[in-house]
Amino acid sequence: MIMETKKIIYCQAVKNKHPEVSATKCYEALANGAQAQQTEIHGFVVDDKYFVDSKTMQVYDMDEFILVENIEDSLSD
């Protein structure tokens, strides 16, 4: 239940910045970007287009990262 509430919050962060987004798909992930401050960021991927940093709530386009790992899939294995 707590995880579902968190997902709603992160989806809403994306919808605030991009109102046209459906924000129907959301999963927990770790992301790594080319810049030092984008190393091993925890957050949520929304609609496979946007990444929301869980600490800062900053919304990034997915193409800003070189690797995004769905950790929900990893935990269920």
Side-chain angles (χ1 to χ4, degrees):
M1 182 69 177
I2 293 172
M3 184 59 76
E4 291 305 314
T5 303
K6 283 185 177 183
K7 286 181 180 181
I8 292 169
I9 292 168
Y10 295 112
C11 285
Q12 189 59 49
V14 172
K15 286 184 77 69
N16 289 343
K17 187 171 181 181
H18 302 282
E20 74 283 358
V21 173
S22 64
T24 56
K25 182 179 179 184
C26 182
Y27 57 87
E28 190 174 9
L30 291 176
N32 287 285
Q35 301 174 5
Q37 67 269 24
Q38 290 181 327
T39 303
E40 198 79 5
I41 299 174
H42 175 267
F44 289 80
V45 173
V46 177
D47 286 352
D48 293 321
K49 289 183 166 184
Y50 303 101
F51 182 85
V52 183
D53 185 327
S54 62
K55 289 183 182 177
T56 66
M57 296 297 289
Q58 183 171 353
V59 177
Y60 298 94
D61 290 334
M62 287 286 288
D63 59 5
E64 292 185 47
F65 297 96
I66 53 176
L67 176 67
V68 177
E69 180 182 9
N70 181 338
I71 61 175
E72 287 183 11
D73 283 348
S74 298
L75 295 174
S76 65
D77 288 345

